[in-house]
Amino acid sequence: MQEKEELQPAFTDRVSYHSYTPEKHTQQNRHLFLGNGFLHFPAPDWSTYNPIFLNRLYQTTTQDKQLSPSYIESKTTFTLPCTLSLKAYLPKQELTLDSPFLTHYYKELLFTDGRLNQIVEWKLPQGTLSIESTFMLSFEKTHLFYMQHEATWKGTPKQPIMIELGIEHNLDLPTQNKTNLIAKHYTTQGNNQIIYTGKTNESPLAFALGMHTASISDSEITKHVKIKQEKETSVNIRFQMNQGGEKLKIYQAIAVNCEEQTKQGSPLQKVQRSLEEIQVKNIQFNKRLQEQKKHLSHFWKKHDIFITGDVKAQQVYRYNAYMLKQTAPTTETNLTFTPADHPYWEKTTYDWQMDTIVLPYYIYTQPSIARAILLARCQILPQAKKQAQQMNKEGALFLLNPNEKETDTLQLVINKTKYYVNANLVYNIKKYIAATNDVPFLLSYAAEVLFETARFWLSMGTFIENKGFCINSVTGPNEYAVLVNNNFYTNSMVKDALFYSVETCKQLQTQHPQTLKELANKINLQEQEITLWNQAATQIYLPYDSALAIYKQDDSFLEKSTWDKKQSPQENNIYLYRHQIIQQPDAVLADFLQGYHISTADRARNLEYYETITTNDSVATPIIHAIEATKYNQHKKAFTYFEQATNVQANPLQAAGYWLAIVYGFAGFQDHYGIFSFAPKLPKKWETCSFCLSLHGGVLQLDLAQNKVTYTILEGENITFSHFQQNICLQKQQSISFSLAPTIRAIIFKLDQVITNTDSIRYLAWKLVCESMNLAFTKQDYLLLNTKNNQEILQAILQKNQVYWEEELCQLIYEKQKVYYKNNLAQIRKNNLNASIFDVLTQIKQKNYKLILAANHKEDSYVLEQLAIKHLFDYITPPSHLNPNRTLLDTYLDITKQLNLQPEDCVCIGTTKQETETAQSLSMFSVNIGQVDIQSNLYLPNVNDLTLEAIESQYQDYHTH
């Protein structure tokens, strides 16, 4: 389990820390880093190391040239070999954060302003020094960084204070940086300018970082010391404060550039020009601050999720959204995401978490960034084709970039068998095009990727008789199960990818035949290939366990020993691979991404089974589990998982995942095949929640409250979507509202012990059969078996009598029992209704509530005919739902689906613990008759106490309080 990192205290517009402790300082700096897609670093602290991460500075990776041609082009980014230096001195004494004289420390990151404020104070025997600093990294001009310091010295004139600001060469770089970077060249100009330059060892990139400094003082006694250079390790500008009570303001602007030396103008020249243009005065600093506020105001207008009633949730969302804002790539050539907890280096990251968690956020909030990310992937198609060829496969294989620090051979093998990355790429291409209608992107880049990856799957998989299209020896998202056959996640994603490739061929043939013809000629695409893609998608094998009624993570997963939670999952790989243990959501993640072809009941059982064997050491786990819990109305469980996801890590996965949990979870957003739908249900703790989505070039705003939702088009001509399966088409600047208040719309009955009682008739039929075959069978035996089907009852009777019959004889007995049973049922008439039930059913129909029968037996419909009440029922669950692989959960969910009902709007009347618990697990209102020890929403001693008035009264009271 990951250690939970809390943001304290909770504010809606900032993160702040009110004290300094060495053991927590690193964590706090991770939370409070600054970034703009180009520059990233923790805000400078007094006398502490602060690495500067430059997103466009990279070194071409040469590792694994022979193992993987696609890796040759990967780029490894670096921190700069220098830091910004902030120091305060008494003569012969440096004032640090670890100083015993430190009496006050405060640091806050404001989301709305895009600035970081810091206050430090040292109370010395000679006086008190306080410094208030503001740091701001520009979003408009990403190469610029601004700082403002206001120092106040209340001390004796004989004890001057020195404030020193500069650039230091970092002597503690990782070996990798030392090997690949050449730096340490300083240029100074006058008394207020420092420039630090360097270049990479192999790549043609150079960089320059320049600092311009100016000051305003209350007194002329303050000295502006000339630039001080200590060999080649640092260059600093020193200010000396001599008079007690004096205030000093220092303004700084830092400019950074990185590009090839061969281009017109070197990084040094460009930084020099930037510094010449900067006027670092108070009015200029305030102007930059106003520009920053304006920029962020526009950002929050579109990208905020406004939550009331839960300050903590509001703060964590805004913090995470701001982290995404700071770490996101800003251009198509600048595609590295920069997690703040990797201060030294980070490879160009693209993995399943980027695919499934981060990209959807950009697709629906900032589609231009999503396009840039997808374009970068599509453009390495030649390397992906080489990777497939190296494995003697056809088409293209996109794999994860290697971790250059990884020396574990097994881990390298695992990374090379994560073939699902291919399907993930297609999944996001499909999602992006459906959300944006970006057909040019499909025609120019994506179509070829679709077809080449489809070719790979055909060469990777095998058609196996009596099983289907199988894909063996793969590793899914769960790395605790490696090199397995038919990973459910992989096969589900491949099924969707192949179908989409076939559909794209059809689309191009109809709408863009010339483009298809040119592309087919280019890659030698044959008609029979497309036919095979469709065949493979149709027949792909999805492993399913009938006994548990769940999808298996892979062919052999359920055959492994269950995980002993007392055994640490980190013990060794052999232990992990031999047990049912999950690190990353796998089958449950497949349900989320491809749930449209999986029943809601199967999804519910999948979550219930797999959540118990998941280690929860992945930030993705609570996010995916929360979303899946909402899909079958377990909102309390969903919110519990959601609160677990408030673990703060300051990385894109955590940030986008929080957005995903709200939008796909509580707002019930779904986007399968470009059909957008919503089924919102707010957590009870929240009062309101509002957010925007970019759909088809427009912007749709959702305003959610506990009992109401409003949809509004802010931008665009029209947007089509559905609200609880009701189709909506909003025109420009139009709004529409719907009530979300729970209201009774349907009442679900069971037949036996509520409407009538056929148990005695069924028992009599079995007794007559047993007597005719000289088998012992008592009423007590039947009471133990009355919930079983006929096959199970007969097998229990034979086992009790210690006899064995062939199947043919068993079939004859079944038929004989049915004849006895139906003959007796034919004697049922209206007077066999339980007392007052007819009046209750009639009142229900008069109120226009849906009347539903959850049938336990195939003959239940016939019984209703005999009772002369079948015409009152709107829906009777079909006999197909009474097979051994179906459960009561399937039945209730089938009812809500068939009649387009929300579970909260259903009342379920039952007599057993299973009926009551299943109804309550779906948030249905449960009425239990006769079982006083079962916790239901309404308990009635017997069926004679059942009235519509009692149901309505208790239902209203429950949902009101």
Side-chain angles (χ1 to χ4, degrees):
M1 174 70 72
Q2 290 191 334
E3 181 182 354
K4 196 173 183 66
E5 298 180 10
E6 296 283 358
L7 296 176
Q8 294 291 347
F11 294 106
T12 60
D13 64 344
R14 71 193 66 190
V15 172
S16 61
Y17 292 100
H18 297 254
S19 62
Y20 170 81
T21 53
E23 59 273 13
K24 292 184 178 181
H25 190 61
T26 300
Q27 172 185 309
Q28 292 174 357
N29 270 353
R30 287 206 308 270
H31 293 171
L32 303 183
F33 83 100
L34 296 171
N36 61 11
F38 175 41
L39 287 169
H40 306 266
F41 48 79
D45 247 329
W46 296 94
S47 72
T48 60
Y49 169 66
N50 297 280
I52 302 172
F53 186 95
L54 187 58
N55 206 5
R56 295 170 199 164
L57 179 64
Y58 67 86
Q59 189 75 21
T60 302
T61 301
T62 57
Q63 180 179 338
D64 292 334
K65 282 186 178 181
Q66 295 180 351
L67 291 177
S68 176
S70 69
Y71 288 172
I72 296 174
E73 300 301 326
S74 64
K75 298 172 182 178
T76 300
T77 49
F78 297 91
T79 52
L80 289 182
C82 61
T83 63
L84 298 179
S85 171
L86 306 179
K87 295 181 180 180
Y89 292 94
L90 279 170
K92 300 182 181 181
Q93 181 181 4
E94 182 178 354
L95 300 177
T96 68
L97 297 182
D98 295 321
S99 168
F101 300 115
L102 183 72
T103 56
H104 182 64
Y105 176 86
Y106 178 78
K107 204 169 187 178
E108 65 176 6
L109 177 66
L110 285 87
F111 315 140
T112 51
D113 293 359
R115 59 190 168 96
L116 192 146
N117 296 329
Q118 177 182 271
I119 302 174
V120 291
E121 183 179 274
W122 294 274
K123 193 168 185 179
L124 305 156
Q126 302 90 340
T128 300
L129 173 67
S130 64
I131 305 176
E132 297 185 20
S133 303
T134 299
F135 309 96
M136 186 179 66
L137 193 50
S138 175
F139 288 112
E140 293 286 346
K141 298 179 180 179
T142 57
H143 66 294
L144 294 179
F145 174 54
Y146 299 95
M147 292 189 288
Q148 172 182 280
H149 310 283
E150 183 172 331
T152 302
W153 169 233
K154 297 179 181 179
T156 62
K158 295 181 180 180
Q159 294 293 333
I161 288 287
M162 274 74 73
I163 305 295
E164 194 172 273
L165 312 169
I167 302 173
E168 292 191 1
H169 179 67
N170 178 21
L171 300 177
D172 299 319
L173 283 174
T175 302
Q176 185 171 329
N177 270 353
K178 289 181 180 179
T179 303
N180 293 305
L181 290 174
I182 300 173
K184 292 196 306 180
H185 178 72
Y186 290 96
T187 300
T188 60
Q189 182 175 347
N191 291 334
N192 60 358
Q193 224 174 73
I194 306 168
I195 300 179
Y196 180 90
T197 58
K199 67 183 185 69
T200 56
N201 201 20
E202 297 178 12
S203 301
L205 291 178
F207 63 87
L209 181 147
M211 174 189 291
H212 184 93
T213 305
S215 66
I216 300 175
S217 174
D218 289 344
S219 169
E220 295 181 359
I221 299 176
T222 295
K223 292 184 179 179
H224 179 183
V225 181
K226 293 183 178 180
I227 288 177
K228 169 191 171 187
Q229 182 164 349
E230 297 179 359
K231 299 182 180 179
E232 291 193 353
T233 61
S234 68
V235 178
N236 300 290
I237 299 174
R238 177 176 288 186
F239 297 87
Q240 180 173 314
M241 302 173 66
N242 294 324
Q243 184 170 328
E246 183 179 10
K247 286 188 178 182
L248 169 68
K249 277 191 176 182
I250 305 171
Y251 305 100
Q252 292 183 286
I254 290 91
V256 183
N257 185 268
C258 175
E259 60 185 34
E260 294 184 18
Q261 289 275 29
T262 55
K263 292 185 177 180
Q264 184 178 6
S266 67
L268 173 60
Q269 292 170 326
K270 292 196 173 183
V271 165
Q272 286 174 331
R273 284 199 295 269
S274 294
L275 295 181
E276 288 172 3
E277 296 171 0
I278 292 172
Q279 297 295 322
V280 194
K281 298 292 183 183
N282 185 30
I283 187 171
Q284 191 74 2
F285 184 89
N286 289 338
K287 182 179 180 181
R288 298 287 84 82
L289 181 59
Q290 292 305 314
E291 290 174 353
Q292 189 88 326
K293 289 181 178 180
K294 183 178 179 181
H295 178 93
L296 286 171
S297 175
H298 179 74
F299 170 80
W300 287 117
K301 183 177 180 180
K302 283 190 175 181
H303 306 306
D304 193 13
I305 295 183
F306 184 71
I307 301 167
T308 62
D310 190 343
V311 173
K312 185 67 176 178
Q314 178 70 90
Q315 181 193 38
V316 172
Y317 171 73
R318 285 181 176 161
Y319 171 79
N320 281 312
Y322 192 67
M323 291 304 102
L324 275 174
K325 170 68 174 172
Q326 292 196 128
T327 60
T330 55
T331 70
E332 293 184 3
T333 59
N334 178 21
L335 292 172
T336 303
F337 280 74
T338 313
D341 53 359
H342 283 264
Y344 296 111
W345 69 279
E346 177 63 17
K347 62 187 175 62
T348 340
T349 302
Y350 197 99
D351 59 15
W352 73 267
Q353 296 173 333
M354 173 70 77
D355 288 322
T356 57
I357 306 295
V358 180
L359 258 174
Y361 168 81
Y362 285 113
I363 287 172
Y364 291 112
T365 61
Q366 299 166 79
S368 62
I369 293 180
R371 189 184 198 275
I373 295 170
L374 291 172
L375 177 60
R377 292 294 281 174
C378 290
Q379 287 176 336
I380 63 169
L381 177 61
Q383 292 96 307
K385 293 175 71 172
K386 290 179 182 178
Q387 179 68 44
Q389 291 170 7
Q390 187 182 34
M391 297 183 61
N392 296 319
K393 301 298 179 184
E394 297 179 3
L397 172 60
F398 293 83
L399 284 178
L400 306 180
N401 288 329
N403 184 332
E404 292 190 78
K405 290 184 176 180
E406 186 59 69
T407 58
D408 186 346
T409 303
L410 176 60
Q411 186 61 47
L412 289 173
V413 171
I414 291 171
N415 284 341
K416 294 175 188 299
T417 57
K418 293 180 178 180
Y419 306 127
Y420 64 83
V421 175
N422 250 24
N424 285 355
L425 176 57
V426 174
Y427 172 83
N428 280 295
I429 288 173
K430 170 185 168 184
K431 186 187 288 285
Y432 168 76
I433 292 174
T436 62
N437 291 329
D438 190 350
V439 176
F441 179 77
L442 174 65
L443 300 180
S444 300
Y445 305 102
E448 185 174 358
V449 171
L450 302 185
F451 302 156
E452 292 291 8
T453 54
R455 280 175 164 169
F456 174 81
W457 293 121
L458 258 293
S459 64
M460 182 68 199
T462 307
F463 287 96
I464 298 178
E465 189 175 355
N466 299 323
K467 203 168 187 179
F469 186 70
C470 299
I471 305 174
N472 296 330
S473 298
V474 305
T475 301
N478 174 32
E479 291 189 3
Y480 290 172
V482 302
L483 299 175
V484 299
N485 294 342
N486 293 306
N487 171 251
F488 175 65
Y489 176 86
T490 300
N491 287 16
S492 296
M493 297 295 286
V494 171
K495 177 186 179 78
D496 183 68
L498 288 173
F499 272 137
Y500 183 56
S501 297
V502 173
E503 291 168 6
T504 300
C505 283
K506 294 178 180 178
Q507 178 187 350
L508 297 185
Q509 182 64 58
T510 303
Q511 301 174 10
H512 306 279
Q514 185 60 34
T515 299
L516 179 61
K517 181 179 178 180
E518 293 172 359
L519 181 56
N521 290 335
K522 176 183 177 182
I523 65 175
N524 193 26
L525 180 63
Q526 304 296 319
E527 184 66 34
Q528 57 267 32
E529 287 186 87
I530 303 170
T531 301
L532 281 174
W533 298 346
N534 190 68
Q535 181 182 348
T538 304
Q539 298 181 23
I540 199 162
Y541 176 64
L542 300 176
Y544 189 82
D545 185 272
S546 299
L548 295 174
I550 64 171
Y551 283 93
K552 298 188 289 185
Q553 182 174 281
D554 55 70
D555 276 354
S556 63
F557 187 78
L558 298 183
E559 298 169 9
K560 299 175 182 178
S561 301
T562 55
W563 169 37
D564 179 4
K565 292 190 176 182
K566 295 179 182 179
Q567 175 83 17
S568 170
Q570 307 300 330
E571 288 293 325
N572 57 70
N573 288 338
I574 300 302
Y575 176 85
L576 300 176
Y577 301 154
R578 290 177 176 173
H579 289 78
Q580 294 184 41
I581 181 172
I582 296 174
Q583 178 194 32
Q584 308 280 9
D586 201 306
V588 177
L589 178 62
D591 288 346
F592 165 50
L593 300 179
Q594 303 295 343
Y596 61 91
H597 64 73
I598 302 169
S599 76
T600 306
D602 281 337
R603 292 173 70 171
R605 284 187 290 267
N606 284 350
L607 176 59
E608 185 177 356
Y609 185 86
Y610 288 112
E611 66 182 341
T612 61
I613 55 175
T614 302
T615 62
N616 291 326
D617 57 358
S618 163
V619 295
T621 298
I623 293 163
I624 303 303
H625 285 183
I627 295 170
E628 278 302 289
T630 64
K631 300 310 176 189
Y632 62 100
N633 230 44
Q634 287 209 349
H635 294 289
K636 186 176 181 180
K637 175 190 281 190
F639 191 67
T640 299
Y641 277 124
F642 175 79
E643 290 193 310
Q644 290 179 16
T646 60
N647 183 23
V648 176
Q649 289 207 341
N651 66 39
L653 171 62
Q654 176 71 34
Y658 209 72
W659 177 91
L660 222 67
I662 296 173
V663 174
Y664 281 86
F666 304 134
F669 179 56
Q670 295 191 75
D671 54 358
H672 297 307
Y673 288 100
I675 300 173
F676 308 121
S677 62
F678 298 92
K681 176 68 177 178
L682 280 189
K684 289 187 178 297
K685 186 176 180 179
W686 295 7
E687 297 170 359
T688 64
C689 176
S690 301
F691 62 88
C692 296
L693 296 179
S694 294
L695 302 175
H696 292 168
V699 176
L700 179 69
Q701 178 174 305
L702 275 73
D703 295 297
L704 294 166
Q706 285 294 332
N707 295 323
K708 181 182 178 182
V709 59
T710 300
Y711 302 93
T712 306
I713 290 188
L714 297 183
E715 298 177 14
E717 297 300 319
N718 60 77
I719 298 177
T720 301
F721 59 94
S722 67
H723 168 82
F724 289 111
Q725 300 183 36
Q726 179 180 344
N727 292 330
I728 310 294
C729 183
L730 283 185
Q731 305 301 316
K732 186 176 182 180
Q733 297 182 339
Q734 187 179 7
S735 293
I736 189 169
S737 299
F738 297 94
S739 173
L740 297 177
T743 181
I744 297 176
R745 295 182 59 201
I747 301 181
I748 304 170
F749 280 81
K750 62 180 290 186
L751 184 70
D752 284 315
Q753 302 177 53
V754 178
I755 295 176
T756 188
N757 195 341
T758 65
D759 280 346
S760 59
I761 298 174
R762 195 171 184 228
Y763 161 69
L764 182 59
W766 276 110
K767 184 171 180 58
L768 291 172
V769 168
C770 290
E771 288 176 350
S772 69
M773 304 301 294
N774 294 318
L775 297 173
F777 186 67
T778 65
K779 184 66 175 282
Q780 186 63 31
D781 293 331
Y782 177 74
L783 292 176
L784 296 174
L785 298 170
N786 66 347
T787 60
K788 307 294 184 182
N789 59 37
N790 285 346
Q791 289 87 344
E792 292 171 324
I793 291 175
L794 179 57
Q795 291 304 314
I797 294 171
L798 295 177
Q799 185 176 2
K800 175 184 177 180
N801 287 269
Q802 298 183 349
V803 296
Y804 173 79
W805 288 349
E806 296 290 341
E807 183 62 28
E808 292 183 2
L809 181 56
C810 289
Q811 289 297 330
L812 291 175
I813 295 301
Y814 298 147
E815 294 304 319
K816 195 171 185 179
Q817 188 271 348
K818 288 179 184 178
V819 172
Y820 287 145
Y821 182 52
K822 202 151 192 176
N823 287 340
N824 290 329
L825 288 179
Q827 309 305 315
I828 291 179
R829 294 293 182 270
K830 190 173 182 178
N831 59 5
N832 292 109
L833 282 167
N834 286 335
S836 72
I837 280 294
F838 183 78
D839 291 338
V840 173
L841 298 178
T842 303
Q843 291 172 11
I844 290 172
K845 294 306 294 182
Q846 290 174 347
K847 284 291 190 78
N848 290 321
Y849 298 152
K850 299 288 184 182
L851 192 53
I852 300 160
L853 180 72
N856 285 327
H857 307 293
K858 294 181 180 180
E859 296 79 12
D860 284 2
S861 179
Y862 173 73
V863 173
L864 292 184
E865 289 182 1
Q866 294 300 103
L867 292 170
I869 58 173
K870 185 178 179 181
H871 66 284
L872 296 175
F873 284 81
D874 298 280
Y875 185 65
I876 300 171
T877 56
S880 61
H881 284 251
L882 304 177
N883 68 63
N885 295 332
R886 309 301 290 180
T887 66
L888 197 58
L889 180 67
D890 296 87
T891 299
Y892 288 168
L893 287 171
D894 172 70
I895 290 168
T896 60
K897 180 179 179 181
Q898 293 297 325
L899 298 180
N900 191 21
L901 298 168
Q902 297 312 304
E904 294 96 335
D905 298 338
C906 297
V907 174
C908 184
I909 300 173
T911 60
T912 68
K913 182 178 181 180
Q914 182 188 22
E915 289 163 342
T916 300
E917 290 182 347
T918 303
Q920 289 185 325
S921 74
L922 298 173
S923 301
M924 291 179 172
F925 185 85
S926 62
V927 178
N928 185 273
I929 298 175
Q931 301 293 330
V932 68
D933 58 335
I934 297 175
Q935 295 295 320
S936 60
N937 299 117
L938 174 60
Y939 164 72
L940 300 174
N942 58 68
V943 72
N944 295 331
D945 299 312
L946 181 65
T947 65
L948 181 58
E949 182 181 4
I951 293 173
E952 290 178 323
S953 175
Q954 191 64 24
Y955 180 93
Q956 183 65 31
D957 185 67
Y958 173 75
H959 284 291
T960 301
H961 300 95

